[in-house]
Amino acid sequence: MKKILIEGGNRLFGEVHISGAKNSVLPLIAATLLTDGVSIIDDCPYLSDVRTMCLVLEHLGAKTHFDNGELILDTSNLDAVEPPGELVRKMRASFLIMGPLLARTGKAQMSLPGGCAIGARPIDLHLKGFEALGAEINIGHGFIETHADKLKGARIYLDFPSVGATENIMMAASLAEGTTIIDNAAHEPEIIDLANMLGVMGANIKGAGTNTIRIEGVSSLKPARHTVIPDRIEAGSFLCMAAATGGELILNNVLPEHLQPLTAKLSEIGATIETGFDSIHILGPEEISPVDIKTLPYPGFPTDMQAQMMALLTVCKGTSIVTETVFENRFMHAAELRKMGADIRIKGSSSVINGVSHLEAASVESTDLRAGAAMVIAAQMAKGISEISGLHHIERGYEGFVEKLEKIGTRIWIADI
Ligand code: EPZ
């Protein structure tokens, strides 16, 4: 099992090139199933989740090739509609192939995606959308099968602005007969990125990025070439590292407007932030001021940055309150931070963080992908050498993570213990 060793206590300096967004490229890969032919996704990050999604498509008969940021996908000859269960259980995002398969072939089946460390993560809103479009759904023994002769446009209200449900329904509706309207849709930048690529493929989608998305179904779609947007969560994680160590970083290949909820909070804790057209310059504060954080669907503070901010707020003069409203169990990292001396008490969906003067190095676990980034931030702040297990979690969402950390001055080693 690979572990990361980090010796904390030094300031980080330098430049970081931000990779393409994991949470955008995964639905983009799924969307190529809507057409036959060869699509190309540029600036694709080399991540284990991307490799898993490509394996899912290959099991369906597609061909994929990754070469230096360029992902080529040939979806001409699909010969299956069921990905292997172990891949679906490994990565929830594989459920995003459901909508495209249903739209292209009229059927799809797979093991039900499991929950994970951060919550039950149901799929009821995805299924509500598919049923509204005319699909029949059968669920039993941990398995789901759906089919439809022809999808027909419908008006669908999402009880929660689910990112995945919005994406799945938008993809299915692209080839449905007539008009589909998604009310209370998710606004995340990744939704807009997907709508942009679907538009290049010939889909007719209006309103992506707002509460209401209108899709006029078309009879067929064609392959596309599309560049993934930069990863706002990777960028946010590095901004937190600069703030945590009082360092100075320049992030390149970012869209600053996607990071406003985070940069606003980092300014409140005392960081100095300047934004360029596609870059962000941050100077960490000498002393971190407490702030209150409440995670919300975009454009609110992103839940995927909650763990990283919690790590940052453990060392400051004062008390911060972090409230998680998106997932029901996303404070697993608090117990790991306590091992390093943090003073965190959980009260329902809120955590009360009483700042301490410093953290002590410890052996900690990455309970999920973003908690892993939070452990790195805490280790960079702590006195001594910390050991972080679960590098495989981190590699799911951070391309070239260890190299990027070394380049900005993190004293880091990989141990295969
Ligand atoms: C996406 O997950 C992201 N993953 C997550 O990032 C992110 O945390 C999440 O959106 C919220 O922003 C990808 O894009 C691959 P949701 P998704 O459907 O689509 C409930 C990371 O670390 N819900 O918006 O699964 C659900 O239980 C990952 O990169 C239903 O109730 O998130 C949760 O409480 C973690 N019914 C809330 O909505 C449904 O049918 C948000 O889920 C679907 C969701």
Side-chain angles (χ1 to χ4, degrees):
M1 177 77 78
K2 277 192 192 170
K3 295 189 175 185
I4 299 179
L5 302 175
I6 289 179
E7 181 178 14
N10 64 315
R11 296 182 169 201
L12 303 179
F13 290 97
E15 296 197 27
V16 183
H17 180 86
I18 299 302
S19 302
K22 167 183 86 82
N23 291 348
S24 190
V25 75
L26 295 177
L28 297 178
I29 292 170
T32 61
L33 290 169
L34 287 162
T35 181
D36 56 1
V38 179
S39 297
I40 299 177
I41 297 175
D42 291 307
D43 207 9
C44 176
Y46 189 67
L47 299 169
S48 55
D49 271 11
V50 170
R51 293 195 295 278
T52 301
M53 193 59 124
C54 288
L55 272 177
V56 168
L57 263 69
E58 285 168 11
H59 277 273
L60 302 175
K63 292 187 180 62
T64 73
H65 175 69
F66 184 89
D67 177 28
N68 192 27
E70 190 179 281
L71 178 61
I72 301 160
L73 302 116
D74 184 348
T75 53
S76 306
N77 306 304
L78 298 186
D79 53 20
V81 289
E82 180 186 342
E86 68 272 15
L87 288 180
V88 173
R89 285 186 291 277
K90 182 176 174 186
M91 185 182 68
R92 172 187 168 83
S94 25
F95 195 69
L96 291 171
I97 66 169
M98 211 70 177
L101 278 182
L102 189 57
R104 173 153 173 211
T105 69
K107 56 184 175 209
Q109 55 194 47
M110 63 169 67
S111 304
L112 283 173
C116 62
I118 61 179
R121 305 186 75 183
I123 53 169
D124 57 311
L125 298 176
H126 299 243
L127 303 183
K128 176 179 181 180
F130 296 154
E131 281 178 325
L133 293 171
E136 188 179 325
I137 292 170
N138 303 298
I139 296 181
H141 310 296
F143 198 78
I144 179 168
E145 181 274 338
T146 181
H147 59 271
D149 295 335
K150 180 67 187 157
L151 296 178
K152 288 186 174 44
R155 183 149 204 159
I156 301 154
Y157 171 77
L158 294 182
D159 309 53
F160 182 91
S162 156
V163 171
T166 302
E167 291 165 343
N168 238 334
I169 296 165
M170 195 161 68
M171 290 189 280
S174 295
L175 287 178
E177 246 165 37
T179 304
T180 296
I181 293 176
I182 307 175
D183 290 315
N184 196 29
H187 296 198
E188 274 68 3
E190 293 76 28
I191 303 285
I192 300 171
D193 203 27
L194 176 59
N196 288 342
M197 188 175 103
L198 289 169
V200 173
M201 294 170 72
N204 183 337
I205 299 173
K206 292 186 178 60
T210 73
N211 262 326
T212 304
I213 301 177
R214 183 188 188 92
I215 302 114
E216 300 293 345
V218 294
S219 55
S220 66
L221 294 171
K222 58 187 190 307
R225 179 158 200 162
H226 180 79
T227 301
V228 193
I229 55 170
D231 194 318
R232 60 193 169 100
I233 305 302
E234 181 195 15
S237 303
F238 279 101
L239 291 176
C240 285
M241 291 179 201
T245 61
E248 182 172 9
L249 292 179
I250 293 175
L251 306 189
N252 298 310
N253 189 42
V254 295
L255 291 171
E257 60 273 21
H258 290 170
L259 283 140
Q260 270 169 357
L262 178 72
T263 49
K265 281 296 171 183
L266 291 175
S267 302
E268 283 179 43
I269 71 162
T272 304
I273 292 174
E274 288 162 12
T275 58
F277 173 69
D278 60 356
S279 65
I280 295 182
H281 175 213
I282 181 170
L283 186 59
E286 286 304 317
E287 194 173 273
I288 294 167
S289 304
V291 287
D292 292 343
I293 304 279
K294 182 175 187 179
T295 68
L296 287 168
Y298 195 88
F301 188 90
T303 175
D304 290 348
M305 282 303 308
Q306 180 256 104
Q308 299 92 314
M309 276 303 275
M310 182 184 286
L312 174 56
L313 292 169
T314 58
V315 177
C316 80
K317 281 209 172 89
T319 299
S320 307
I321 297 176
V322 174
T323 303
E324 173 60 59
T325 72
V326 176
F327 289 104
E328 74 269 21
N329 183 29
R330 203 170 195 175
F331 286 141
M332 309 275 274
H333 41 279
E336 300 305 308
L337 292 169
R338 280 195 210 101
K339 291 178 186 172
M340 302 176 88
D343 177 353
I344 305 171
R345 261 161 292 158
I346 296 173
K347 296 180 176 169
S349 62
S350 291
S351 281
V352 179
I353 303 147
N354 291 313
V356 295
S357 60
H358 66 280
L359 294 180
E360 295 289 345
S363 177
V364 291
E365 273 199 56
S366 310
T367 48
D368 73 72
L369 159 61
R370 305 306 174 185
M375 293 306 117
V376 168
I377 293 166
Q380 288 167 328
M381 297 161 82
K383 291 193 172 93
I385 298 178
S386 297
E387 188 183 281
I388 305 169
S389 66
L391 179 58
H392 60 285
H393 280 304
I394 297 174
E395 285 172 333
R396 292 187 57 180
Y398 291 90
E399 182 183 46
F401 195 51
V402 173
E403 294 75 17
K404 289 183 181 180
L405 288 174
E406 281 175 329
K407 192 166 162 255
I408 57 176
T410 305
R411 288 196 284 271
I412 182 168
W413 304 266
I414 303 297
D416 215 342
I417 300 172

